[in-house]
Amino acid sequence: MLLSKKSIRKCWIVGFILLFSIIFFMPSESQAATLRIKMNGKTSKYKRTQSIVKYGKKKVTKTNFKGLTIKGTRMVPYDDVFKKGLKVKTSYKSSSKKIVMTKNGIKVTMTIGSKNAYVNGVKHRLPTAPVKVKYIKRKKTKILVPVKFLCAQLGYNYKASGSTITITDALLVEYDGGTIAKSSVMGKLSYNSKENNLSSMPVIKLNSTIYIPAEETFQKIIGIDYHYDEEAQVLTLKNEATDTTVELSLDQDTFMVNGIEEDLGAPMYMITRKDKQKSVLCVPAKIVSTKLGYSYKWDKTKSLVSLHDKIYFNWKADQVPDASAASNFITEASAVYNSEYDSISFSFKGSNPEIMNQVSVSRNDQVITVTIPATSKYCIDKFSFSKFVNILDKFEVVEDGSGNVIFYITGLSPTDFAYSSLDGTLTLNVMNQYVGSYALKIMKPAGITIKNVSNQDFYNNNKFVITISGNHINFLNSNPIIINSDVISDVSTNLDANGNTAITVTTSKLQGYKIYNQSDSFVVSVGNPKTIYKNIVVLDAGHGGYDNGASHKGTKEKDLNYKILYTLMKDYYSSNAPDTKVYWTRTTDTFISLAGRAAFANKVGADLFISLHMNSASNSSANGTEVYYSPSNNSSSFSGIKSKTIASLFKNNLVSRLGTKSRGVKSAGFYVIKRNTVPAVLIELGFLSGSSDYSKLTNLTFQKNSAKVIYDTIQQIFASYPTGR
């Protein structure tokens, strides 16, 4: 049959209307999920969420008997979920309508139709009473129980999202005179990079504190002195390597560290595992471990506590000879592990800075040789150490009879190193050999070691200069520098004013860099600062240029700020491969706007901003140190640290070590800390106008000590609050 165009058009319209009706009036998901049930003698249509329950990744609800939400409470069939799915011991008596569930020594008794429940005989009030529900289509009745309440009592973790309830295992414990709690954490412990499964008690979390079993951790795994006096309920732990003893009393919030009482934060508990009915002495992991001298790290994702020897050895001479200009006595030697950077730092203190500056360091395959010449004498009675757990095999000291002291440091494989000598102390950092990609490769001239290499960062001009002692222009012409980076726009080589070889590297944008020592070359990694450095700090010497700041007796604040924060601190950050990178807002007597200073932190990707100032008052009796933070810039940053926390650390360290008067931590809206993008503090070190402060601030020793305290505090911050990079 042939249709007219008008008829065809009508057919299209009718078809479209029918299709629209089908789509528009199609039942919604909740309508499609409508369920006919009979509850409390009444038949009804259930249109709300039907819950499925997963135990871990396994579905434990039956497809045809999903959980229901009744009076706002998620209810699930007790037999499908708890009896069969979670393997909880259950019983039901139809005559009394009582349901009994037992797990980990916890007995929960409920009655159908009653909101009263009993947990080990203690009465609890349920949000919704257990109820019988008949699923009419399936012609079967199920007893539904409040799932969240039961998980909390029986020791499971509960999480509901949409139509899915997820139940996971937790550890039910009893402590503090009968308190029963569950720990969602059942973690492991790593010591010196070796992971251990704890048999007595896993790592657990109670009231936001991570706990570890004391005896298994400190006596069996770590192996330090351990003694628990059951009668006095006092635990004594002693780490001989750090010469630290801690004493903890059961259920007490304080403890003794080398005889001095300190706040423990959370008590030591005797904790009973309900699954094994076994009691284990447990201590707060972080504070006890760190006080004993171990590094501590908590990996939430892996539920892993990592402890590591922080100090391998710390040796000191019993008797120190009188220093003389012609002799150099090595009186202290230490080896410290840095878990964040997986490196070992050696420190050797000598009596003669000039001789210590003549040190030479070389590497031959796996052995690093440190030679301290010119009539040096090793005054310590310990000559070797071989208990390193990674990177190194052994450390040995040899006196060759001709006035040389030689340290041999043997690696498990070839290692990289960097070192510096400052104020008579040689610091040597040893790390695993650099195997990453490089941006530059510079072949080594004959007789050149990493000691002969220095660097200077001209970050404001997107340049840095690598300087090699001596004239090596011809060598580098014959052995061209290899460039392996698109961001490097130019590399030029010339002699500087001192006749040394200066390699100037220009980049297309501000970049970080590190110089690594290889057997035949130096390689340079280049990248955005945050990809190169673990930590980045901006140091801001207040005022500058035409802005003198405070003045007194001809002394200008801008000069003191600059001297302490730049002149006296730059050597602390002169390493060829630093973990902590410092950018200064000014490195000359230049005026920088407040907005420019604050914005600079964002430009370089800083983690911290520290501004140094000197105070002034009309009254000369005003003296002391105060540190400011801005409440507008006090949100949590890396590892949860805040500006106020940083201000407190600086105030405490400066006052205690410099002997200045404490004027406290204060809040203010100073531009450089308020408008910053990172945690920021402003230090008012002392009063130029102060009757006692002026002589301190203008004293070179005080200035050097101030620079050292600021440096040490920065190191402390990043050790306690790692950036995670």
Side-chain angles (χ1 to χ4, degrees):
M1 180 177 66
L2 297 177
L3 298 175
S4 66
K5 291 183 178 180
K6 186 175 181 180
S7 298
I8 292 173
R9 187 163 56 249
K10 286 183 178 179
C11 289
W12 273 106
I13 293 172
V14 171
F16 179 80
I17 292 172
L18 288 172
L19 180 62
F20 180 82
S21 299
I22 291 170
I23 295 173
F24 187 81
F25 294 104
M26 184 179 291
S28 66
E29 184 176 337
S30 61
Q31 289 174 320
T34 298
L35 181 71
R36 292 185 72 238
I37 61 173
K38 185 175 183 180
M39 182 172 63
N40 297 326
K42 182 180 178 181
T43 301
S44 61
K45 291 182 178 180
Y46 178 86
K47 299 181 180 180
R48 292 183 293 277
T49 300
Q50 296 183 40
S51 300
I52 63 169
V53 178
K54 291 184 177 180
Y55 177 39
K57 295 183 179 180
K58 181 182 178 182
K59 181 181 173 183
V60 295
T61 40
K62 303 287 186 178
T63 302
N64 296 317
F65 304 104
K66 297 178 181 178
L68 310 179
T69 300
I70 301 173
K71 296 181 180 180
T73 302
R74 301 248 192 174
M75 309 284 283
V76 299
Y78 90 94
D79 54 345
D80 296 336
V81 174
F82 288 95
K83 184 177 181 179
K84 298 176 183 177
L86 275 64
K87 308 300 182 185
V88 174
K89 184 179 180 181
T90 62
S91 65
Y92 170 65
K93 290 186 178 181
S94 57
S95 58
S96 62
K97 299 182 179 180
K98 289 189 182 299
I99 309 155
V100 179
M101 297 187 185
T102 306
K103 183 178 174 64
N104 295 334
I106 303 296
K107 180 180 179 182
V108 181
T109 303
M110 300 174 292
T111 303
I112 294 175
S114 173
K115 286 189 175 183
N116 292 332
Y118 295 87
V119 180
N120 284 352
V122 179
K123 184 178 179 180
H124 290 255
R125 191 73 173 164
L126 299 174
T128 300
V131 62
K132 284 187 176 182
V133 174
K134 183 176 182 180
Y135 294 77
I136 292 175
K137 185 177 180 180
R138 295 296 166 182
K139 299 179 181 179
K140 190 164 185 177
T141 298
K142 292 280 187 178
I143 298 174
L144 272 59
V145 294
V147 58
K148 184 177 181 180
F149 170 83
L150 286 167
C151 285
Q153 303 305 319
L154 296 173
Y156 293 99
N157 298 316
Y158 166 93
K159 182 180 180 181
S161 178
S163 62
T164 301
I165 296 170
T166 303
I167 298 174
T168 54
D169 287 320
L171 182 67
L172 208 61
V173 298
E174 184 175 351
Y175 67 101
D176 194 21
T179 301
I180 295 177
K182 65 175 181 176
S183 171
S184 57
V185 173
M186 289 185 288
K188 300 178 181 180
L189 182 136
S190 169
Y191 171 59
N192 283 348
S193 304
K194 181 181 178 181
E195 196 169 295
N196 298 270
N197 285 314
L198 298 167
S199 59
S200 61
M201 177 79 72
V203 173
I204 63 173
K205 186 177 183 180
L206 296 177
N207 300 322
S208 76
T209 299
I210 299 296
Y211 279 85
I212 54 178
E215 183 177 5
E216 188 171 7
T217 299
F218 294 107
Q219 185 179 49
K220 295 182 179 179
I221 295 175
I222 296 179
I224 63 172
D225 289 345
Y226 175 99
H227 176 71
Y228 181 60
D229 187 329
E230 293 187 7
E231 184 176 349
Q233 297 183 327
V234 173
L235 171 66
T236 303
L237 301 168
K238 183 176 182 180
N239 184 359
E240 291 186 355
T242 59
D243 196 23
T244 304
T245 301
V246 300
E247 294 182 355
L248 302 94
S249 298
L250 200 65
D251 303 331
Q252 299 300 308
D253 290 325
T254 60
F255 70 141
M256 306 297 288
V257 181
N258 286 342
I260 300 173
E261 185 176 71
E262 295 190 22
D263 183 20
L264 185 56
M268 174 177 72
Y269 288 127
M270 187 67 75
I271 299 177
T272 302
R273 295 181 58 158
K274 300 299 289 183
D275 59 338
K276 295 184 177 181
Q277 289 299 310
K278 181 179 180 180
S279 296
V280 180
L281 192 65
C282 297
V283 298
K286 182 176 182 179
I287 189 167
V288 174
S289 300
T290 54
K291 288 296 182 181
L292 283 167
Y294 302 102
S295 66
Y296 170 91
K297 184 177 181 181
W298 165 241
D299 189 323
K300 182 178 179 181
T301 303
K302 297 180 181 179
S303 293
L304 179 69
V305 166
S306 296
L307 305 180
H308 207 293
D309 286 326
K310 202 170 181 180
I311 299 177
Y312 286 114
F313 60 80
N314 186 18
W315 300 335
K316 295 183 180 180
D318 293 331
Q319 293 182 341
V320 180
D322 293 333
S324 68
S327 300
N328 178 45
F329 302 110
I330 307 299
T331 59
E332 296 181 20
S334 66
V336 177
Y337 177 75
N338 189 321
S339 61
E340 286 299 315
Y341 313 132
D342 195 28
S343 64
I344 298 175
S345 178
F346 291 89
S347 178
F348 306 102
K349 186 174 182 180
S351 62
N352 191 318
E354 290 187 7
I355 294 178
M356 292 299 291
N357 286 337
Q358 298 175 36
V359 65
S360 65
V361 182
S362 62
R363 184 185 67 190
N364 183 9
D365 195 22
Q366 294 175 214
V367 180
I368 296 172
T369 302
V370 181
T371 303
I372 304 175
T375 63
S376 291
K377 174 70 176 177
Y378 188 76
C379 297
I380 308 168
D381 59 2
K382 296 180 180 179
F383 286 81
S384 64
F385 185 87
S386 59
K387 295 182 180 179
F388 301 104
V389 294
N390 59 357
I391 304 176
L392 298 180
D393 179 36
K394 59 183 176 180
F395 166 80
E396 299 171 289
V397 182
V398 173
E399 293 184 275
D400 68 357
S402 61
N404 295 327
V405 174
I406 302 174
F407 304 139
Y408 293 110
I409 301 170
T410 305
L412 297 172
S413 60
T415 55
D416 285 338
F417 63 88
Y419 69 96
S420 63
S421 184
L422 188 66
D423 297 333
T425 299
L426 170 67
T427 301
L428 172 68
N429 294 308
V430 182
M431 62 213 83
N432 285 314
Q433 190 171 28
Y434 178 76
V435 294
S437 60
Y438 57 82
L440 288 175
K441 185 174 183 179
I442 306 167
M443 299 306 294
K444 281 184 183 179
I448 293 298
T449 69
I450 193 69
K451 178 187 177 182
N452 307 116
V453 177
S454 60
N455 72 90
Q456 190 170 2
D457 195 352
F458 297 94
Y459 40 83
N460 288 318
N461 297 316
N462 296 340
K463 294 182 180 182
F464 60 90
V465 176
I466 301 171
T467 301
I468 305 176
S469 299
N471 184 345
H472 307 287
I473 299 296
N474 291 336
F475 175 84
L476 293 178
N477 287 337
S478 302
N479 300 272
I481 297 171
I482 299 171
I483 303 174
N484 187 31
S485 171
D486 294 336
V487 79
I488 295 176
S489 56
D490 183 69
V491 176
S492 62
T493 306
N494 62 282
L495 291 180
D496 64 14
N498 298 314
N500 297 318
T501 305
I503 303 169
T504 301
V505 182
T506 304
T507 55
S508 58
K509 57 184 177 179
L510 188 146
Q511 294 284 273
Y513 63 92
K514 285 185 177 181
I515 307 167
Y516 295 92
N517 183 54
Q518 300 285 281
S519 58
D520 62 347
S521 62
F522 304 113
V523 294
V524 185
S525 63
V526 174
N528 291 328
K530 279 199 169 184
T531 66
I532 296 294
Y533 306 115
K534 293 283 187 182
N535 319 305
I536 302 174
V537 182
V538 168
L539 296 182
D540 174 46
H543 306 284
Y546 64 79
D547 179 10
N548 292 328
S551 297
H552 186 63
K553 296 182 180 180
T555 301
K556 300 173 183 178
E557 178 190 353
K558 68 171 184 177
D559 296 331
L560 289 180
N561 297 336
Y562 178 81
K563 184 175 182 181
I564 293 172
L565 211 59
Y566 178 69
T567 305
L568 296 176
M569 283 194 68
K570 62 182 179 180
D571 284 347
Y572 288 116
Y573 296 104
S574 62
S575 169
N576 286 317
D579 290 316
T580 298
K581 172 68 174 179
V582 167
Y583 291 100
W584 285 270
T585 56
R586 65 182 181 99
T587 56
T588 58
D589 184 14
T590 308
F591 174 78
I592 308 290
S593 69
L594 296 178
R597 295 170 191 259
F600 186 65
N602 186 52
K603 178 182 178 181
V604 300
D607 302 301
L608 294 179
F609 181 96
I610 301 159
S611 187
L612 180 65
H613 289 254
M614 305 296 155
N615 227 328
S616 184
S618 58
N619 193 329
S620 63
S621 63
N623 293 278
T625 300
E626 55 195 28
V627 185
Y628 288 88
Y629 74 98
S630 171
S632 301
N633 180 24
N634 193 41
S635 57
S636 293
S637 184
F638 57 91
S639 291
I641 197 169
K642 298 182 178 182
S643 296
K644 186 177 181 180
T645 307
I646 297 168
S648 296
L649 287 170
F650 272 106
K651 188 271 295 181
N652 292 340
N653 290 348
L654 289 166
V655 169
S656 62
R657 291 176 58 181
L658 298 178
T660 56
K661 176 183 177 182
S662 174
R663 292 175 62 90
V665 171
K666 300 180 179 180
S667 61
F670 298 134
Y671 192 100
V672 294
I673 56 176
K674 179 179 181 180
R675 298 296 182 90
N676 224 300
T677 55
V678 299
V681 297
L682 187 147
I683 300 168
E684 292 280 8
L685 188 60
F687 281 76
L688 269 177
S689 57
S691 55
S692 63
D693 278 358
Y694 179 78
S695 60
K696 295 177 182 176
L697 296 173
T698 53
N699 178 272
L700 180 58
T701 300
F702 181 88
Q703 294 167 356
K704 288 182 177 180
N705 290 339
S706 299
K708 184 63 164 63
V709 175
I710 293 172
Y711 167 78
D712 288 344
T713 305
I714 292 171
Q715 297 299 99
Q716 177 188 355
I717 289 169
F718 288 125
S720 301
Y721 302 89
T723 62
R725 291 199 299 276

